[in-house]
Amino acid sequence: MSITHDEREDGVSKPRPAQRPASVSPTGNLDMSRERFLKVIPADWRFEITRPGPVRSLLKSRWFNFTLFIVNWAAFALILMSGVYGTAVGNHSIGIVFVWILWWSLLMFLLLPFTARFWCGMCPLPTVGEWLQRLRFVGKNPGGGLGLNAKWPKRLRTMWIANAAFLTVGIFSGVITTRPLATTVMLGGIILLAVVLHAVFEKRTFCRYLCPVGGFLGLYSNFSAMEIRRKDFEDCRTHRTKECFAGSEKGYGCPWLEVPMNLERNTYCGFCFECMRSCSKDNMSIRLRPFGTDLLVDRHRELGESWKAFIMLGAAGMYSATMMGPWGTVKKWANLSSFAGVPDFLKFVALFIGVTAIGLPLVHALASHLSRRLALRHDPGVEDPGFRKTFLNFSYALVPLGLMAWVAFSFAIVLPSGSYVLPVFSDPFGLGWNLFGTAHIPWTPVGTGIMAYLQVPTVLFGLAYAIDVAWKLARQTFVSRGAAAVAAVPQVVYLGLVSVGLLWLFVG
Amino acid sequence: MLREGVAALMVLAVLVGLPLAVLRYEKAFASRFTATIWARTAERGGFQPSEIRVRQGERVRLRIIGDDVVHGLLIPELGIAVKEIKPGEETILEFVPEKPGEFLFFCSVLCSPLHGRMNGRLIVEPGT
């Protein structure tokens, strides 16, 4: 008896007995042993970083995540305080500087591209709810904790709610990223919501389906250069106790409602390392891999993720236009400085949603329609994948471009404003303290003269990777190489035009 | 359970101890000054507190924290002028009031539509 994924009609993996021939690849007709990213990096290259005993022991320790939680809670306690205590001036408040400059930059430059959802493994926001749910801070509770452990409704097991949550946060970004009180209210609201959700629903339901940050971390972690996967399929196949899903005395069953031994994509792997702890066969590993590997997995794709890709790419453009562009009017609309500004703010809401959730998907739909038409005309014998599958598959090519657009956008945050971090270390509430002697370091933009030289290659790298992924997706969708080649043309043109738009916003 | 106890102490230290330590540190820090004045536009409350009591002949150290836009502080009758109180920065104003009485202080930078209402009173009580 072996264990494999179900078809995820309800959106959540469940272990079930099945025959799974080793020849069935999650990437369909793409043979990963022959694929190369950017014609250079072998798609099946892997390097296991958990092979050394000390690394493995460290990650399997139940103290590992807890220590990260505590360190982050120390920062978050001050961040939450800053909304109601100390200065309301954003660039002198830990609430703004640590969250929207330091954390955001770490997330975009380091954590997300290289470590997938490792942030989720140290994020303090759901911890209070989880501690209550387990009635344990560190250890494994052999009995039950608090909470109803209800199952999340099947119809809601998608990324749509996370999309709506991100859009909600996104449209208020002009307020949230500049006012400490707004940041505190948002983070406090998320913590409160997480506690309620943990009390009612099982495990990390909140993180999986509702967290506004978790949605884009999930999608973009499919591009990341790190993964947690089983080592040996046979070990899992012959192992009847399914500890990674059901839990063992050493670890909880996957809090993210996944079946870790069958993981094929990073989307819902929260890097909590519980599967490494619970597996008595020591069969889970963390591996480095080429960027973009999971984007080629032809299973579990869903329209909610497609829209996440549109929203994120569109939002990168919208933020660039709003925060750094020459359109002061749009910035004023977004700022919502008083109740009198509500009508203007509604214009910004309409513009933001119009561009990210309606306009970009329409352009993508047009490109997908053309791809399909051209492919079927070029090779009438090719199996028609249908519009929906064409639309869905090609949407994953936006992920490399979207992530790189965010990295490029983040240069425009960290280079001019990164120096605010040092004074805030010493004076987190703008009260005139000087705890570590750095309070009087003046605001010093760093490297703004070379910012364009960083942003342009970043966007071009994203474009190159997006085209490469689009080409692979075209072959996956249409099988016939000739049909795939013509199907890729509208995608390349569309990705190119979006990139030109981004470059114009960044350096035009 | 020892492990959980240690973890609980760490959680308490961070979630309760750290904020309390912040409040305590600020209390000690603020004691170096005669008063701390928050400079905000009149729409957001103006100078807070708007009334400060000091004693004639005793050195006064005021910590003035700019909390929104650039402000100034002028006490014409005592010849005191702080030209610029920058947002997010603290300005230390030191002086010895030589004469008793009530003195108006006000913002000297046109800071908001209600700029004219951004003022307060410095009350110098006679020295012993």
Side-chain angles (χ1 to χ4, degrees), chain A residues 85 87-88 92 137 139 431 433, chain B residues 3-4 26 29 63 67 88:
Chain A
Y85 187 76
T87 184
H92 290 268
F137 290 111
L431 293 168
W433 303 357
Chain B
R3 182 165 67 169
E4 292 301 315
E26 167 57 14
F29 188 78
R63 175 174 58 159
D67 202 32

Side-chain angles (χ1 to χ4, degrees), chain A residues 313-322 324-327 355 409 412 455 498-508:
Chain A
L313 181 58
M318 276 300 295
Y319 287 143
S320 301
T322 308
M324 286 128 199
W327 303 284
V355 168
F409 170 74
Q455 289 179 312
V498 171
S499 301
V500 168
L502 287 168
L503 288 172
W504 177 68
L505 285 171
F506 290 138
V507 299

Side-chain angles (χ1 to χ4, degrees), chain A residues 284-400:
Chain A
M284 298 302 294
S285 63
I286 303 177
R287 305 183 299 199
L288 297 178
R289 62 180 197 180
F291 290 124
T293 310
D294 290 352
L295 300 174
L296 304 181
V297 175
D298 193 16
R299 296 184 205 182
H300 322 310
R301 287 178 181 151
E302 59 140 323
L303 283 174
E305 292 183 5
S306 302
W307 249 263
K308 176 62 78 185
F310 304 137
I311 289 168
M312 291 307 296
L313 181 58
M318 276 300 295
Y319 287 143
S320 301
T322 308
M323 294 182 187
M324 286 128 199
W327 303 284
T329 311
V330 181
K331 190 171 190 172
K332 198 179 153 201
W333 289 354
N335 206 18
L336 190 62
S337 50
S338 67
F339 281 112
V342 170
D344 280 344
F345 181 70
L346 292 177
K347 291 180 198 165
F348 176 74
V349 172
L351 186 65
F352 192 89
I353 292 176
V355 168
T356 60
I358 299 170
L360 204 50
L362 281 175
V363 176
H364 182 79
L366 178 66
S368 301
H369 174 71
L370 286 173
S371 290
R372 181 167 158 251
R373 283 284 297 270
L374 288 172
L376 296 177
R377 185 178 294 175
H378 180 273
D379 189 350
V382 76
E383 186 184 342
D384 180 7
F387 172 75
R388 188 181 186 278
K389 187 169 175 61
T390 311
F391 179 94
L392 185 64
N393 282 5
F394 279 126
S395 66
Y396 287 82
L398 295 177
V399 170

